[in-house]
Amino acid sequence: KAGVTQTPRYLIKTRGQQVTLSCSPISGHRSVSWYQQTPGQGLQFLFEYFSETQRNKGNFPGRFSGRQFSNSRSEMNVSTLELGDSALYLCASSLERVTEAFFGQGTRLTVV
Amino acid sequence: GQNIDQPTEMTATEGAIVQINCTYQTSGFNGLFWYQQHAGEAPTFLSYNVLDGLEEKGRFSSFLSRSKGYSYLLLKELQMKDSASYLCAVGSSGSARQLTFGSGTQLTVLP
């Protein structure tokens, strides 16, 4: 069974630009969560989608948004990039009634 | 609010036993998770406790006391490959999947 796939793995963007990251969950998993990981703040929850609906959102500005498609694939978008958005963005998928979340390899975003 | 504390760094010797502690104060609770993360890699699931007590899985065991807001991860027969960051996380209550993570404990296993 394939794991969680995130694309791209690495990305370099300029301040002010916008970026879209993609996540394909494990087959059969309908819950997709996004996390930001930085050396200073650690792993922080961004949002969670289930059956194309956002169920929960972390404490991030509105520049961070996401969506989920009918095949459970998810995208997150960051607009008007700031230097502080440089981070590893991790996607995790899980089954509805199973507790552990499985993480993808992440997208490392660098904003210059 | 959510507050999860764990030591920043620990060092142990190959073959030894190490215990990584985690204390938490959260507004909701739906289980305590432990993840392992090697540098440059994704976190991988190690264990999950929702009831008080000890869960054993091979060389790894995890303990939870909900009344004390306390958990620990016990690693036995340490191997060099166990050098990694160990992340304690609390699951949110309700149907949504949200994990609140501690800052992680960087474990270094020495020969």
mmCIF file with all atom_site columns, all heavy atoms in Angstrom, chain A residues 19-44:
data_model
loop_
_atom_site.group_PDB
_atom_site.id
_atom_site.type_symbol
_atom_site.label_atom_id
_atom_site.label_alt_id
_atom_site.label_comp_id
_atom_site.label_asym_id
_atom_site.label_entity_id
_atom_site.label_seq_id
_atom_site.pdbx_PDB_ins_code
_atom_site.Cartn_x
_atom_site.Cartn_y
_atom_site.Cartn_z
_atom_site.occupancy
_atom_site.B_iso_or_equiv
_atom_site.pdbx_formal_charge
_atom_site.auth_seq_id
_atom_site.auth_comp_id
_atom_site.auth_asym_id
_atom_site.auth_atom_id
_atom_site.pdbx_PDB_model_num
ATOM 1   N N   . VAL A 1 19 ? 1.838   29.953 -3.130 1.00 0.00 ? 19 VAL A N   1
ATOM 2   C CA  . VAL A 1 19 ? 2.302   28.588 -3.374 1.00 0.00 ? 19 VAL A CA  1
ATOM 3   C C   . VAL A 1 19 ? 1.174   27.605 -3.090 1.00 0.00 ? 19 VAL A C   1
ATOM 4   O O   . VAL A 1 19 ? 0.326   27.841 -2.219 1.00 0.00 ? 19 VAL A O   1
ATOM 5   C CB  . VAL A 1 19 ? 3.535   28.273 -2.505 1.00 0.00 ? 19 VAL A CB  1
ATOM 6   C CG1 . VAL A 1 19 ? 3.179   28.234 -1.017 1.00 0.00 ? 19 VAL A CG1 1
ATOM 7   C CG2 . VAL A 1 19 ? 4.196   26.979 -2.932 1.00 0.00 ? 19 VAL A CG2 1
ATOM 8   N N   . THR A 1 20 ? 1.162   26.524 -3.851 1.00 0.00 ? 20 THR A N   1
ATOM 9   C CA  . THR A 1 20 ? 0.196   25.446 -3.628 1.00 0.00 ? 20 THR A CA  1
ATOM 10  C C   . THR A 1 20 ? 0.948   24.141 -3.430 1.00 0.00 ? 20 THR A C   1
ATOM 11  O O   . THR A 1 20 ? 1.813   23.782 -4.239 1.00 0.00 ? 20 THR A O   1
ATOM 12  C CB  . THR A 1 20 ? -0.766  25.304 -4.826 1.00 0.00 ? 20 THR A CB  1
ATOM 13  O OG1 . THR A 1 20 ? -1.490  26.533 -4.988 1.00 0.00 ? 20 THR A OG1 1
ATOM 14  C CG2 . THR A 1 20 ? -1.748  24.177 -4.586 1.00 0.00 ? 20 THR A CG2 1
ATOM 15  N N   . LEU A 1 21 ? 0.623   23.457 -2.346 1.00 0.00 ? 21 LEU A N   1
ATOM 16  C CA  . LEU A 1 21 ? 1.246   22.173 -2.027 1.00 0.00 ? 21 LEU A CA  1
ATOM 17  C C   . LEU A 1 21 ? 0.193   21.079 -2.136 1.00 0.00 ? 21 LEU A C   1
ATOM 18  O O   . LEU A 1 21 ? -0.989  21.304 -1.823 1.00 0.00 ? 21 LEU A O   1
ATOM 19  C CB  . LEU A 1 21 ? 1.825   22.188 -0.599 1.00 0.00 ? 21 LEU A CB  1
ATOM 20  C CG  . LEU A 1 21 ? 2.677   23.396 -0.211 1.00 0.00 ? 21 LEU A CG  1
ATOM 21  C CD1 . LEU A 1 21 ? 3.172   23.234 1.222  1.00 0.00 ? 21 LEU A CD1 1
ATOM 22  C CD2 . LEU A 1 21 ? 3.826   23.581 -1.166 1.00 0.00 ? 21 LEU A CD2 1
ATOM 23  N N   . SER A 1 22 ? 0.618   19.901 -2.533 1.00 0.00 ? 22 SER A N   1
ATOM 24  C CA  . SER A 1 22 ? -0.325  18.815 -2.767 1.00 0.00 ? 22 SER A CA  1
ATOM 25  C C   . SER A 1 22 ? -0.054  17.621 -1.871 1.00 0.00 ? 22 SER A C   1
ATOM 26  O O   . SER A 1 22 ? 1.100   17.339 -1.520 1.00 0.00 ? 22 SER A O   1
ATOM 27  C CB  . SER A 1 22 ? -0.252  18.386 -4.237 1.00 0.00 ? 22 SER A CB  1
ATOM 28  O OG  . SER A 1 22 ? -1.142  17.322 -4.496 1.00 0.00 ? 22 SER A OG  1
ATOM 29  N N   . CYS A 1 23 ? -1.114  16.927 -1.512 1.00 0.00 ? 23 CYS A N   1
ATOM 30  C CA  . CYS A 1 23 ? -1.000  15.751 -0.650 1.00 0.00 ? 23 CYS A CA  1
ATOM 31  C C   . CYS A 1 23 ? -1.974  14.670 -1.119 1.00 0.00 ? 23 CYS A C   1
ATOM 32  O O   . CYS A 1 23 ? -3.179  14.923 -1.239 1.00 0.00 ? 23 CYS A O   1
ATOM 33  C CB  . CYS A 1 23 ? -1.309  16.132 0.792  1.00 0.00 ? 23 CYS A CB  1
ATOM 34  S SG  . CYS A 1 23 ? -1.451  14.721 1.930  1.00 0.00 ? 23 CYS A SG  1
ATOM 35  N N   . SER A 1 24 ? -1.454  13.489 -1.377 1.00 0.00 ? 24 SER A N   1
ATOM 36  C CA  . SER A 1 24 ? -2.296  12.345 -1.698 1.00 0.00 ? 24 SER A CA  1
ATOM 37  C C   . SER A 1 24 ? -2.260  11.375 -0.525 1.00 0.00 ? 24 SER A C   1
ATOM 38  O O   . SER A 1 24 ? -1.190  10.843 -0.196 1.00 0.00 ? 24 SER A O   1
ATOM 39  C CB  . SER A 1 24 ? -1.803  11.649 -2.968 1.00 0.00 ? 24 SER A CB  1
ATOM 40  O OG  . SER A 1 24 ? -1.964  12.480 -4.087 1.00 0.00 ? 24 SER A OG  1
ATOM 41  N N   . PRO A 1 25 ? -3.394  11.148 0.137  1.00 0.00 ? 25 PRO A N   1
ATOM 42  C CA  . PRO A 1 25 ? -3.397  10.296 1.328  1.00 0.00 ? 25 PRO A CA  1
ATOM 43  C C   . PRO A 1 25 ? -3.295  8.822  0.960  1.00 0.00 ? 25 PRO A C   1
ATOM 44  O O   . PRO A 1 25 ? -3.388  8.448  -0.211 1.00 0.00 ? 25 PRO A O   1
ATOM 45  C CB  . PRO A 1 25 ? -4.751  10.602 1.968  1.00 0.00 ? 25 PRO A CB  1
ATOM 46  C CG  . PRO A 1 25 ? -5.627  10.961 0.815  1.00 0.00 ? 25 PRO A CG  1
ATOM 47  C CD  . PRO A 1 25 ? -4.732  11.672 -0.158 1.00 0.00 ? 25 PRO A CD  1
ATOM 48  N N   . ILE A 1 26 ? -3.121  8.014  1.977  1.00 0.00 ? 26 ILE A N   1
ATOM 49  C CA  . ILE A 1 26 ? -3.148  6.561  1.792  1.00 0.00 ? 26 ILE A CA  1
ATOM 50  C C   . ILE A 1 26 ? -4.532  6.181  1.275  1.00 0.00 ? 26 ILE A C   1
ATOM 51  O O   . ILE A 1 26 ? -5.544  6.739  1.732  1.00 0.00 ? 26 ILE A O   1
ATOM 52  C CB  . ILE A 1 26 ? -2.826  5.853  3.113  1.00 0.00 ? 26 ILE A CB  1
ATOM 53  C CG1 . ILE A 1 26 ? -1.377  6.140  3.511  1.00 0.00 ? 26 ILE A CG1 1
ATOM 54  C CG2 . ILE A 1 26 ? -3.084  4.361  3.030  1.00 0.00 ? 26 ILE A CG2 1
ATOM 55  C CD1 . ILE A 1 26 ? -1.008  5.679  4.905  1.00 0.00 ? 26 ILE A CD1 1
ATOM 56  N N   . SER A 1 27 ? -4.574  5.244  0.356  1.00 0.00 ? 27 SER A N   1
ATOM 57  C CA  . SER A 1 27 ? -5.839  4.820  -0.222 1.00 0.00 ? 27 SER A CA  1
ATOM 58  C C   . SER A 1 27 ? -6.813  4.393  0.880  1.00 0.00 ? 27 SER A C   1
ATOM 59  O O   . SER A 1 27 ? -6.489  3.594  1.770  1.00 0.00 ? 27 SER A O   1
ATOM 60  C CB  . SER A 1 27 ? -5.589  3.649  -1.180 1.00 0.00 ? 27 SER A CB  1
ATOM 61  O OG  . SER A 1 27 ? -6.805  3.180  -1.715 1.00 0.00 ? 27 SER A OG  1
ATOM 62  N N   . GLY A 1 28 ? -8.028  4.972  0.821  1.00 0.00 ? 28 GLY A N   1
ATOM 63  C CA  . GLY A 1 28 ? -9.036  4.633  1.828  1.00 0.00 ? 28 GLY A CA  1
ATOM 64  C C   . GLY A 1 28 ? -9.096  5.607  2.990  1.00 0.00 ? 28 GLY A C   1
ATOM 65  O O   . GLY A 1 28 ? -10.067 5.607  3.755  1.00 0.00 ? 28 GLY A O   1
ATOM 66  N N   . HIS A 1 29 ? -8.074  6.420  3.135  1.00 0.00 ? 29 HIS A N   1
ATOM 67  C CA  . HIS A 1 29 ? -8.066  7.424  4.210  1.00 0.00 ? 29 HIS A CA  1
ATOM 68  C C   . HIS A 1 29 ? -8.798  8.667  3.738  1.00 0.00 ? 29 HIS A C   1
ATOM 69  O O   . HIS A 1 29 ? -8.466  9.232  2.704  1.00 0.00 ? 29 HIS A O   1
ATOM 70  C CB  . HIS A 1 29 ? -6.626  7.797  4.600  1.00 0.00 ? 29 HIS A CB  1
ATOM 71  C CG  . HIS A 1 29 ? -5.920  6.731  5.354  1.00 0.00 ? 29 HIS A CG  1
ATOM 72  N ND1 . HIS A 1 29 ? -4.752  6.987  6.065  1.00 0.00 ? 29 HIS A ND1 1
ATOM 73  C CD2 . HIS A 1 29 ? -6.187  5.422  5.529  1.00 0.00 ? 29 HIS A CD2 1
ATOM 74  C CE1 . HIS A 1 29 ? -4.353  5.869  6.637  1.00 0.00 ? 29 HIS A CE1 1
ATOM 75  N NE2 . HIS A 1 29 ? -5.199  4.910  6.324  1.00 0.00 ? 29 HIS A NE2 1
ATOM 76  N N   . ARG A 1 30 ? -9.786  9.099  4.528  1.00 0.00 ? 30 ARG A N   1
ATOM 77  C CA  . ARG A 1 30 ? -10.546 10.274 4.125  1.00 0.00 ? 30 ARG A CA  1
ATOM 78  C C   . ARG A 1 30 ? -10.206 11.527 4.931  1.00 0.00 ? 30 ARG A C   1
ATOM 79  O O   . ARG A 1 30 ? -10.654 12.615 4.598  1.00 0.00 ? 30 ARG A O   1
ATOM 80  C CB  . ARG A 1 30 ? -12.044 9.969  4.241  1.00 0.00 ? 30 ARG A CB  1
ATOM 81  C CG  . ARG A 1 30 ? -12.511 8.907  3.241  1.00 0.00 ? 30 ARG A CG  1
ATOM 82  C CD  . ARG A 1 30 ? -14.009 8.900  3.096  1.00 0.00 ? 30 ARG A CD  1
ATOM 83  N NE  . ARG A 1 30 ? -14.677 8.450  4.318  1.00 0.00 ? 30 ARG A NE  1
ATOM 84  C CZ  . ARG A 1 30 ? -15.972 8.643  4.564  1.00 0.00 ? 30 ARG A CZ  1
ATOM 85  N NH1 . ARG A 1 30 ? -16.725 9.282  3.697  1.00 0.00 ? 30 ARG A NH1 1
ATOM 86  N NH2 . ARG A 1 30 ? -16.506 8.192  5.686  1.00 0.00 ? 30 ARG A NH2 1
ATOM 87  N N   . SER A 1 31 ? -9.433  11.349 6.010  1.00 0.00 ? 31 SER A N   1
ATOM 88  C CA  . SER A 1 31 ? -9.029  12.502 6.815  1.00 0.00 ? 31 SER A CA  1
ATOM 89  C C   . SER A 1 31 ? -7.619  12.919 6.423  1.00 0.00 ? 31 SER A C   1
ATOM 90  O O   . SER A 1 31 ? -6.703  12.093 6.410  1.00 0.00 ? 31 SER A O   1
ATOM 91  C CB  . SER A 1 31 ? -9.070  12.142 8.296  1.00 0.00 ? 31 SER A CB  1
ATOM 92  O OG  . SER A 1 31 ? -8.459  13.157 9.070  1.00 0.00 ? 31 SER A OG  1
ATOM 93  N N   . VAL A 1 32 ? -7.467  14.187 6.106  1.00 0.00 ? 32 VAL A N   1
ATOM 94  C CA  . VAL A 1 32 ? -6.151  14.732 5.766  1.00 0.00 ? 32 VAL A CA  1
ATOM 95  C C   . VAL A 1 32 ? -5.903  15.962 6.628  1.00 0.00 ? 32 VAL A C   1
ATOM 96  O O   . VAL A 1 32 ? -6.727  16.874 6.668  1.00 0.00 ? 32 VAL A O   1
ATOM 97  C CB  . VAL A 1 32 ? -6.063  15.121 4.279  1.00 0.00 ? 32 VAL A CB  1
ATOM 98  C CG1 . VAL A 1 32 ? -4.732  15.810 3.995  1.00 0.00 ? 32 VAL A CG1 1
ATOM 99  C CG2 . VAL A 1 32 ? -6.213  13.889 3.394  1.00 0.00 ? 32 VAL A CG2 1
ATOM 100 N N   . SER A 1 33 ? -4.779  15.968 7.322  1.00 0.00 ? 33 SER A N   1
ATOM 101 C CA  . SER A 1 33 ? -4.404  17.105 8.161  1.00 0.00 ? 33 SER A CA  1
ATOM 102 C C   . SER A 1 33 ? -3.106  17.694 7.644  1.00 0.00 ? 33 SER A C   1
ATOM 103 O O   . SER A 1 33 ? -2.261  16.984 7.098  1.00 0.00 ? 33 SER A O   1
ATOM 104 C CB  . SER A 1 33 ? -4.203  16.664 9.622  1.00 0.00 ? 33 SER A CB  1
ATOM 105 O OG  . SER A 1 33 ? -5.376  16.084 10.143 1.00 0.00 ? 33 SER A OG  1
ATOM 106 N N   . TRP A 1 34 ? -2.939  18.979 7.879  1.00 0.00 ? 34 TRP A N   1
ATOM 107 C CA  . TRP A 1 34 ? -1.717  19.679 7.481  1.00 0.00 ? 34 TRP A CA  1
ATOM 108 C C   . TRP A 1 34 ? -1.046  20.275 8.714  1.00 0.00 ? 34 TRP A C   1
ATOM 109 O O   . TRP A 1 34 ? -1.736  20.806 9.606  1.00 0.00 ? 34 TRP A O   1
ATOM 110 C CB  . TRP A 1 34 ? -2.037  20.804 6.495  1.00 0.00 ? 34 TRP A CB  1
ATOM 111 C CG  . TRP A 1 34 ? -2.433  20.328 5.132  1.00 0.00 ? 34 TRP A CG  1
ATOM 112 C CD1 . TRP A 1 34 ? -3.685  20.026 4.683  1.00 0.00 ? 34 TRP A CD1 1
ATOM 113 C CD2 . TRP A 1 34 ? -1.555  20.118 4.015  1.00 0.00 ? 34 TRP A CD2 1
ATOM 114 N NE1 . TRP A 1 34 ? -3.651  19.646 3.359  1.00 0.00 ? 34 TRP A NE1 1
ATOM 115 C CE2 . TRP A 1 34 ? -2.354  19.690 2.930  1.00 0.00 ? 34 TRP A CE2 1
ATOM 116 C CE3 . TRP A 1 34 ? -0.175  20.262 3.823  1.00 0.00 ? 34 TRP A CE3 1
ATOM 117 C CZ2 . TRP A 1 34 ? -1.810  19.400 1.675  1.00 0.00 ? 34 TRP A CZ2 1
ATOM 118 C CZ3 . TRP A 1 34 ? 0.360   19.975 2.574  1.00 0.00 ? 34 TRP A CZ3 1
ATOM 119 C CH2 . TRP A 1 34 ? -0.454  19.545 1.518  1.00 0.00 ? 34 TRP A CH2 1
ATOM 120 N N   . TYR A 1 35 ? 0.276   20.195 8.731  1.00 0.00 ? 35 TYR A N   1
ATOM 121 C CA  . TYR A 1 35 ? 1.065   20.730 9.835  1.00 0.00 ? 35 TYR A CA  1
ATOM 122 C C   . TYR A 1 35 ? 2.241   21.517 9.280  1.00 0.00 ? 35 TYR A C   1
ATOM 123 O O   . TYR A 1 35 ? 2.775   21.207 8.217  1.00 0.00 ? 35 TYR A O   1
ATOM 124 C CB  . TYR A 1 35 ? 1.611   19.602 10.724 1.00 0.00 ? 35 TYR A CB  1
ATOM 125 C CG  . TYR A 1 35 ? 0.547   18.854 11.490 1.00 0.00 ? 35 TYR A CG  1
ATOM 126 C CD1 . TYR A 1 35 ? -0.162  17.817 10.893 1.00 0.00 ? 35 TYR A CD1 1
ATOM 127 C CD2 . TYR A 1 35 ? 0.249   19.191 12.807 1.00 0.00 ? 35 TYR A CD2 1
ATOM 128 C CE1 . TYR A 1 35 ? -1.157  17.140 11.584 1.00 0.00 ? 35 TYR A CE1 1
ATOM 129 C CE2 . TYR A 1 35 ? -0.732  18.514 13.515 1.00 0.00 ? 35 TYR A CE2 1
ATOM 130 C CZ  . TYR A 1 35 ? -1.434  17.496 12.892 1.00 0.00 ? 35 TYR A CZ  1
ATOM 131 O OH  . TYR A 1 35 ? -2.407  16.833 13.586 1.00 0.00 ? 35 TYR A OH  1
ATOM 132 N N   . GLN A 1 36 ? 2.647   22.531 10.043 1.00 0.00 ? 36 GLN A N   1
ATOM 133 C CA  . GLN A 1 36 ? 3.853   23.293 9.725  1.00 0.00 ? 36 GLN A CA  1
ATOM 134 C C   . GLN A 1 36 ? 4.905   22.956 10.763 1.00 0.00 ? 36 GLN A C   1
ATOM 135 O O   . GLN A 1 36 ? 4.612   22.955 11.968 1.00 0.00 ? 36 GLN A O   1
ATOM 136 C CB  . GLN A 1 36 ? 3.553   24.800 9.760  1.00 0.00 ? 36 GLN A CB  1
ATOM 137 C CG  . GLN A 1 36 ? 4.745   25.672 9.408  1.00 0.00 ? 36 GLN A CG  1
ATOM 138 C CD  . GLN A 1 36 ? 4.541   27.122 9.830  1.00 0.00 ? 36 GLN A CD  1
ATOM 139 O OE1 . GLN A 1 36 ? 4.442   27.436 11.002 1.00 0.00 ? 36 GLN A OE1 1
ATOM 140 N NE2 . GLN A 1 36 ? 4.495   28.020 8.848  1.00 0.00 ? 36 GLN A NE2 1
ATOM 141 N N   . GLN A 1 37 ? 6.108   22.658 10.320 1.00 0.00 ? 37 GLN A N   1
ATOM 142 C CA  . GLN A 1 37 ? 7.190   22.358 11.256 1.00 0.00 ? 37 GLN A CA  1
ATOM 143 C C   . GLN A 1 37 ? 8.342   23.321 11.045 1.00 0.00 ? 37 GLN A C   1
ATOM 144 O O   . GLN A 1 37 ? 8.911   23.417 9.948  1.00 0.00 ? 37 GLN A O   1
ATOM 145 C CB  . GLN A 1 37 ? 7.679   20.923 11.114 1.00 0.00 ? 37 GLN A CB  1
ATOM 146 C CG  . GLN A 1 37 ? 8.698   20.519 12.184 1.00 0.00 ? 37 GLN A CG  1
ATOM 147 C CD  . GLN A 1 37 ? 9.054   19.046 12.152 1.00 0.00 ? 37 GLN A CD  1
ATOM 148 O OE1 . GLN A 1 37 ? 9.075   18.420 11.095 1.00 0.00 ? 37 GLN A OE1 1
ATOM 149 N NE2 . GLN A 1 37 ? 9.321   18.469 13.320 1.00 0.00 ? 37 GLN A NE2 1
ATOM 150 N N   . THR A 1 38 ? 8.700   24.042 12.099 1.00 0.00 ? 38 THR A N   1
ATOM 151 C CA  . THR A 1 38 ? 9.841   24.957 12.084 1.00 0.00 ? 38 THR A CA  1
ATOM 152 C C   . THR A 1 38 ? 10.701  24.677 13.303 1.00 0.00 ? 38 THR A C   1
ATOM 153 O O   . THR A 1 38 ? 10.211  24.170 14.318 1.00 0.00 ? 38 THR A O   1
ATOM 154 C CB  . THR A 1 38 ? 9.391   26.432 12.127 1.00 0.00 ? 38 THR A CB  1
ATOM 155 O OG1 . THR A 1 38 ? 8.635   26.639 13.332 1.00 0.00 ? 38 THR A OG1 1
ATOM 156 C CG2 . THR A 1 38 ? 8.547   26.794 10.924 1.00 0.00 ? 38 THR A CG2 1
ATOM 157 N N   . PRO A 1 39 ? 11.997  25.015 13.234 1.00 0.00 ? 39 PRO A N   1
ATOM 158 C CA  . PRO A 1 39 ? 12.864  24.784 14.393 1.00 0.00 ? 39 PRO A CA  1
ATOM 159 C C   . PRO A 1 39 ? 12.398  25.526 15.641 1.00 0.00 ? 39 PRO A C   1
ATOM 160 O O   . PRO A 1 39 ? 12.513  25.019 16.741 1.00 0.00 ? 39 PRO A O   1
ATOM 161 C CB  . PRO A 1 39 ? 14.227  25.310 13.914 1.00 0.00 ? 39 PRO A CB  1
ATOM 162 C CG  . PRO A 1 39 ? 14.163  25.213 12.430 1.00 0.00 ? 39 PRO A CG  1
ATOM 163 C CD  . PRO A 1 39 ? 12.739  25.507 12.070 1.00 0.00 ? 39 PRO A CD  1
ATOM 164 N N   . GLY A 1 40 ? 11.826  26.700 15.463 1.00 0.00 ? 40 GLY A N   1
ATOM 165 C CA  . GLY A 1 40 ? 11.434  27.500 16.616 1.00 0.00 ? 40 GLY A CA  1
ATOM 166 C C   . GLY A 1 40 ? 10.096  27.111 17.222 1.00 0.00 ? 40 GLY A C   1
ATOM 167 O O   . GLY A 1 40 ? 9.932   27.112 18.440 1.00 0.00 ? 40 GLY A O   1
ATOM 168 N N   . GLN A 1 41 ? 9.144   26.773 16.394 1.00 0.00 ? 41 GLN A N   1
ATOM 169 C CA  . GLN A 1 41 ? 7.775   26.499 16.858 1.00 0.00 ? 41 GLN A CA  1
ATOM 170 C C   . GLN A 1 41 ? 7.420   25.020 16.874 1.00 0.00 ? 41 GLN A C   1
ATOM 171 O O   . GLN A 1 41 ? 6.361   24.645 17.384 1.00 0.00 ? 41 GLN A O   1
ATOM 172 C CB  . GLN A 1 41 ? 6.767   27.241 15.973 1.00 0.00 ? 41 GLN A CB  1
ATOM 173 C CG  . GLN A 1 41 ? 6.909   28.746 15.979 1.00 0.00 ? 41 GLN A CG  1
ATOM 174 C CD  . GLN A 1 41 ? 6.647   29.334 17.351 1.00 0.00 ? 41 GLN A CD  1
ATOM 175 O OE1 . GLN A 1 41 ? 5.726   28.919 18.052 1.00 0.00 ? 41 GLN A OE1 1
ATOM 176 N NE2 . GLN A 1 41 ? 7.471   30.281 17.758 1.00 0.00 ? 41 GLN A NE2 1
ATOM 177 N N   . GLY A 1 42 ? 8.250   24.181 16.316 1.00 0.00 ? 42 GLY A N   1
ATOM 178 C CA  . GLY A 1 42 ? 7.929   22.758 16.278 1.00 0.00 ? 42 GLY A CA  1
ATOM 179 C C   . GLY A 1 42 ? 6.827   22.466 15.277 1.00 0.00 ? 42 GLY A C   1
ATOM 180 O O   . GLY A 1 42 ? 6.635   23.191 14.305 1.00 0.00 ? 42 GLY A O   1
ATOM 181 N N   . LEU A 1 43 ? 6.086   21.401 15.547 1.00 0.00 ? 43 LEU A N   1
ATOM 182 C CA  . LEU A 1 43 ? 4.995   20.972 14.677 1.00 0.00 ? 43 LEU A CA  1
ATOM 183 C C   . LEU A 1 43 ? 3.704   21.651 15.107 1.00 0.00 ? 43 LEU A C   1
ATOM 184 O O   . LEU A 1 43 ? 3.243   21.477 16.232 1.00 0.00 ? 43 LEU A O   1
ATOM 185 C CB  . LEU A 1 43 ? 4.797   19.458 14.779 1.00 0.00 ? 43 LEU A CB  1
ATOM 186 C CG  . LEU A 1 43 ? 5.437   18.589 13.710 1.00 0.00 ? 43 LEU A CG  1
ATOM 187 C CD1 . LEU A 1 43 ? 5.521   17.147 14.167 1.00 0.00 ? 43 LEU A CD1 1
ATOM 188 C CD2 . LEU A 1 43 ? 4.612   18.672 12.431 1.00 0.00 ? 43 LEU A CD2 1
ATOM 189 N N   . GLN A 1 44 ? 3.106   22.414 14.209 1.00 0.00 ? 44 GLN A N   1
ATOM 190 C CA  . GLN A 1 44 ? 1.874   23.111 14.533 1.00 0.00 ? 44 GLN A CA  1
ATOM 191 C C   . GLN A 1 44 ? 0.774   22.749 13.545 1.00 0.00 ? 44 GLN A C   1
ATOM 192 O O   . GLN A 1 44 ? 1.003   22.727 12.337 1.00 0.00 ? 44 GLN A O   1
ATOM 193 C CB  . GLN A 1 44 ? 2.100   24.622 14.524 1.00 0.00 ? 44 GLN A CB  1
ATOM 194 C CG  . GLN A 1 44 ? 3.021   25.108 15.635 1.00 0.00 ? 44 GLN A CG  1
ATOM 195 C CD  . GLN A 1 44 ? 3.093   26.617 15.664 1.00 0.00 ? 44 GLN A CD  1
ATOM 196 O OE1 . GLN A 1 44 ? 3.681   27.245 14.800 1.00 0.00 ? 44 GLN A OE1 1
ATOM 197 N NE2 . GLN A 1 44 ? 2.470   27.209 16.673 1.00 0.00 ? 44 GLN A NE2 1
#
